[in-house]
Amino acid sequence: MRKLSLRVEAEVKWRDQPVQGVRNWENPFLPSGYAYLFQFVGHDLVNTTAPYSSVTRNDALSANARRSAMRLETLYGDGPTATRFAYESSDRYDGERVRLRLGRIQRDDRTIDAGCPFRDIARAPRDETGVIRQRELTEPLIADPRNDAHAILSQLTSVFALLHNGIVNGLEAAEPAGRRTPAHAYALFAKARSSSARAYRSVVRNDLLRRLLDPAIYRAYESGFLLDAAAVAEPGWKAPLEFSQGAIRFGHAMVRDEYRINDGAMNDLIENLVKTSLADPQNMPLNESWVVQWSHFFEMDGGRKPNLSKRIGPHYSSGLTSERIFPAIDDTRRFGLAYRDLLSSAFSGLWSLRSLIEEIRTRRPEFVRASRLLDDHLWRQSELADWLRERRAFGGLDADDITAISRDPPLSFYVQWEAMREADGLRLGPVGSIIVAETVFAALATPIDEQGRDGAIAIEPNDVGNAYQASFERLSQVQTMPDLISFVRDVCGLSHSVPAFA
Amino acid sequence: MALDRLRFSNIERFGKLVKSWSTGKNYLEDGNTYEVPGDIDEFRRQNAEAQTGAHIPDWAKKVRFVSCESDTIVIRIPPKAFIEDSEERLTAPGASYPLPEAYKQAFGGQDPVIAKEKMLDFHAARIGDYTSTFCM
């Protein structure tokens, strides 16, 4: 795996772009925000205490502890009673909480004033040493601390928190002023959560997956097909390892080395990766230069060209090879994310690629027939071997290595390689598409809330204050990430926010 | 479109690679042999092996190594387009100065705050520094 991780350091020779003003390695059809939305979705599907690359196969730490999928558990945790620290305190409901907690940003000169908006996740200082160090905000007050893995992701998390809080604003506006009972708090929270989750699911189904998947495979799953529908019907369905330790890793290949964060700030990937409470507590909360203006990450109305994802292929941005962020984890002294992804994929007991293809063939033969890489094992092996030989100086793969890898490639690597070969890096190839679709569409088929499928907890027009009526009509029509961001901007009064919200 | 730049995620390791080329001693202590590369492909390969985290832009087709004697002053004149690109970035509203992480770590971990009106002076100082300093 060490040698293969060096082989994928050789940059991919992409074909020329059909779109002017776009770099060769950029994907003109996939703004960068979708890479991070996919990471957020990954956290909503899979929650392991420790990464596979650092534990043994049967270690309890590597089990997926996510109990319900695609219900924004990554945002809400176990709700305001059990995950209390993630919720804003309130006197209105006898101590019960309904809003997710957010934190003020700071100015670029490291000062904080009353005009600094609540656009960061909430963060707190540690006090276990007995001395509270106010300037070191080491503790992210969010249900899933992985969502503070870097600044762009924590900013995206704050968008979903704002979505929930904005819905609460609209619901509270229809209620009488003054104190309310805890029962009101529970009902209001449940409605806001259910509506947020529905909007989120709609974006994932109609926008994210449509962009990432092979069109024919997307159409099949979108119309209700699942390879293993019986598994979804069983209680306790969880994302398969082929997703969590294999296919999901393609997201890392979409990460750029540099991002335009807002109109005034262009920042490096490495800076992004250390802008967390864990790595950079003395510089928290996020300052203005790290507050994301979402029109730089999604195609919003203004026509601004957003940051574009890298085309998907077997190559990661240099920032993901940082020794400080991804230090060596074994005796090979190899650091970086590519090596970790290969280890996770190769040694976590996944189905082999060949077995996976044969299983797909028995259930949906036309998917296999549509791609010679799937249909013809010998041809695929020969194509893989040719590619591995091309830049042999990188990693020094010998003939035995090339034979072994081409016969049984680590799934994470194959999904990236296949996207490069079958889709020019613009979306996933067939195997990647099927694994992602099988997992995410299955999760989308699970009940959205405790009351039943499709959300029995619905918001009726009378539930919403007059000032919010027009905005809430758009909530049920949210289909894309720009729709969701526009709703949040309006319902949270962020149209004139500084730094700009969208 | 802003210029794509040569950059290193592990700048210390690149520094060790340069020291290895200069002295013939392997500062990376990884069992590999590093000699001054003959072309850009070899430069890419050695950077991968040395784990410098190099991003070598597509526009770079050649690499030139300047070895100098201790009695010769070498001043590297940067390309005009790069200086102008940097000036444009640094004078944009809200621009921050992209200093390598190692500087921040050496000075207590605080993000450096460089006032907007001092940004181009600092830029000039950096250029003066790296074009004139020999290995310090």
Side-chain angles (χ1 to χ4, degrees):
Chain A
M1 289 307 114
R2 180 187 175 280
K3 288 180 181 177
L4 183 56
S5 75
L6 285 166
R7 170 63 184 88
V8 302
E9 285 218 10
E11 307 218 2
V12 174
K13 303 286 181 199
W14 294 109
R15 269 185 268 178
D16 284 342
Q17 286 283 4
V19 182
Q20 274 219 329
V22 174
R23 292 195 175 101
N24 214 24
W25 48 267
E26 288 179 324
N27 184 345
F29 309 111
L30 197 67
S32 287
Y34 292 99
Y36 297 108
L37 177 60
F38 185 69
Q39 184 176 17
F40 186 81
V41 169
H43 290 175
D44 205 25
L45 286 162
V46 181
N47 184 10
T48 49
T49 306
Y52 256 79
S53 54
S54 64
V55 294
T56 58
R57 168 87 178 93
N58 296 317
D59 195 318
L61 289 175
S62 63
N64 180 4
R66 183 64 73 218
R67 291 179 300 116
S68 59
M70 299 302 292
R71 288 181 53 208
L72 286 175
E73 198 171 279
T74 191
L75 181 71
Y76 292 110
D78 291 324
T81 304
T83 314
R84 191 173 175 81
F85 64 87
Y87 293 82
E88 187 183 303
S89 63
S90 165
D91 294 330
R92 187 171 157 85
Y93 303 98
D94 274 347
E96 292 303 324
R97 301 179 176 196
V98 295
R99 284 185 172 78
L100 284 154
R101 199 192 282 270
L102 286 161
R104 277 191 203 280
I105 64 162
Q106 62 178 328
R107 306 285 180 204
D108 279 344
D109 65 3
R110 308 290 175 266
T111 59
I112 296 182
D113 56 64
C116 292
F118 283 80
R119 296 268 301 275
D120 191 10
I121 59 170
R123 304 172 192 274
R126 65 179 170 197
D127 66 352
E128 67 248 27
T129 58
V131 179
I132 297 176
R133 301 168 71 178
Q134 290 291 352
R135 286 300 299 160
E136 294 206 354
L137 301 179
T138 55
E139 312 302 309
L141 300 178
I142 52 178
D144 186 343
R146 297 173 304 164
N147 289 331
D148 188 34
H150 54 84
I152 300 171
L153 184 60
S154 65
Q155 279 287 283
L156 185 65
T157 303
S158 73
V159 168
F160 284 100
L162 285 165
L163 169 67
H164 172 87
N165 291 353
I167 295 172
V168 170
N169 293 345
L171 295 172
E172 280 191 337
E175 294 195 336
R179 295 175 75 89
R180 306 285 280 162
T181 65
H184 280 106
Y186 303 143
L188 190 147
F189 174 79
K191 279 184 183 172
R193 175 175 180 166
S194 183
S195 297
S196 298
R198 268 204 302 279
Y200 159 69
R201 283 187 170 202
S202 177
V203 168
V204 171
R205 173 187 288 273
N206 297 304
D207 194 10
L208 179 66
L209 294 178
R210 188 188 296 274
R211 289 171 183 269
L212 292 178
L213 303 183
D214 173 272
I217 292 167
Y218 175 79
R219 280 195 299 275
Y221 278 88
E222 212 272 335
S223 61
F225 168 77
L226 283 171
L227 283 176
D228 190 4
V232 185
E234 290 171 12
W237 175 89
K238 288 187 176 174
L241 286 176
E242 286 68 28
F243 175 79
S244 60
Q245 307 306 323
I248 199 173
R249 313 292 163 138
F250 81 88
H252 296 151
M254 298 194 288
V255 172
R256 306 166 57 95
D257 263 323
E258 194 174 49
Y259 289 94
R260 161 73 55 194
I261 297 293
N262 55 46
D263 282 347
M266 180 86 123
N267 292 333
D268 277 357
L269 171 62
I270 292 191
E271 292 177 75
N272 175 46
L273 293 171
V274 297
K275 275 285 163 233
T276 69
S277 278
L278 180 66
D280 202 19
Q282 65 270 52
N283 292 304
M284 290 290 133
L286 293 180
N287 53 290
E288 292 164 301
S289 293
W290 283 101
V291 176
V292 168
Q293 183 178 356
W294 293 103
S295 53
H296 288 291
F297 284 81
F298 296 100
E299 292 153 334
M300 304 296 293
D301 296 338
R304 176 183 283 121
K305 184 190 140 203
N307 298 298
L308 296 173
S309 292
K310 278 183 67 189
R311 291 159 89 165
I312 305 164
H315 179 73
Y316 291 2
S317 286
S318 63
L320 299 180
T321 63
S322 164
E323 181 176 18
R324 182 183 167 210
I325 301 163
F326 306 105
I329 51 173
D330 62 22
D331 293 342
T332 66
R333 296 166 68 192
R334 177 75 177 131
F335 40 78
L337 193 53
Y339 180 62
R340 291 179 181 210
D341 283 352
L342 290 171
L343 283 189
S344 294
S345 193
F347 302 115
S348 49
L350 310 188
W351 281 39
S352 71
L353 175 64
R354 190 183 178 116
S355 310
L356 209 52
I357 292 170
E358 289 310 312
E359 186 65 22
I360 295 167
R361 195 194 299 277
T362 61
R363 293 172 188 242
R364 193 83 184 207
E366 70 269 29
F367 282 170
V368 174
R369 281 199 301 271
S371 163
R372 190 175 173 196
L373 281 181
L374 271 61
D375 202 23
D376 184 342
H377 294 304
L378 288 176
W379 190 73
R380 180 183 66 252
Q381 286 168 26
S382 135
E383 291 293 293
L384 263 169
D386 285 350
W387 184 84
L388 290 167
R389 264 184 227 110
E390 261 175 33
R391 308 290 294 277
R392 209 162 170 172
F394 283 79
L397 291 165
D398 61 28
D400 289 344
D401 298 327
I402 290 170
T403 302
I405 294 169
S406 56
R407 276 191 186 153
D408 186 16
L411 197 53
S412 60
F413 159 74
Y414 180 76
V415 165
Q416 293 163 4
W417 183 84
E418 175 199 63
M420 172 190 72
R421 281 297 304 270
E422 296 278 81
D424 231 3
L426 301 177
R427 58 181 172 272
L428 290 169
V431 170
S433 292
I434 290 168
I435 296 172
V436 170
E438 184 71 16
T439 306
V440 184
F441 276 102
L444 289 171
T446 60
I448 204 166
D449 54 44
E450 290 83 354
Q451 308 302 313
R453 189 158 302 181
D454 295 332
I457 308 174
I459 294 177
E460 304 297 336
N462 288 343
D463 293 339
V464 181
N466 290 337
Y468 291 87
Q469 292 281 349
S471 300
F472 271 65
E473 281 172 22
R474 284 166 37 216
L475 177 60
S476 61
Q477 293 156 22
V478 164
Q479 293 219 319
T480 66
M481 204 54 198
D483 291 345
L484 189 145
I485 288 166
S486 300
F487 173 80
V488 170
R489 178 192 60 204
D490 295 347
V491 84
C492 293
L494 293 168
S495 295
H496 304 291
S497 183
V498 179
F501 180 70
Chain B
M1 199 185 311
L3 287 167
D4 198 10
R5 309 254 177 162
L6 174 66
R7 60 163 71 89
F8 299 92
S9 299
N10 303 311
I11 193 76
E12 302 87 344
R13 291 189 72 85
F14 182 64
K16 288 178 180 176
L17 182 58
V18 172
K19 287 169 84 170
S20 303
W21 289 332
S22 173
T23 64
K25 172 186 162 190
N26 184 342
Y27 278 81
L28 291 148
E29 298 177 341
D30 59 3
N32 296 317
T33 303
Y34 297 106
E35 293 176 357
V36 177
D39 58 32
I40 189 96
D41 271 351
E42 176 61 9
F43 179 64
R44 288 178 193 274
R45 192 196 68 75
Q46 285 198 24
N47 273 284
E49 206 67 56
Q51 305 193 73
T52 62
H55 166 71
I56 301 168
D58 282 346
W59 53 257
K61 308 298 178 202
K62 292 182 286 188
V63 58
R64 180 148 44 112
F65 292 89
V66 182
S67 295
C68 50
E69 305 302 323
S70 50
D71 62 355
T72 305
I73 291 173
V74 176
I75 305 290
R76 293 190 308 145
I77 307 289
K80 178 171 181 272
F82 276 74
I83 289 188
E84 289 172 350
D85 180 70
S86 299
E87 288 172 348
E88 193 180 323
R89 285 181 185 219
L90 295 173
T91 52
S96 57
Y97 202 101
L99 276 175
E101 177 75 11
Y103 289 96
K104 179 174 149 182
Q105 293 311 316
F107 292 101
Q110 288 285 332
D111 277 339
V113 178
I114 302 167
K116 184 172 173 49
E117 64 274 17
K118 299 280 186 191
M119 202 73 91
L120 288 183
D121 290 346
F122 189 70
H123 178 232
R126 286 264 295 156
I127 290 176
D129 180 12
Y130 68 66
T131 56
S132 66
T133 310
F134 276 103
C135 301
M136 180 55 79

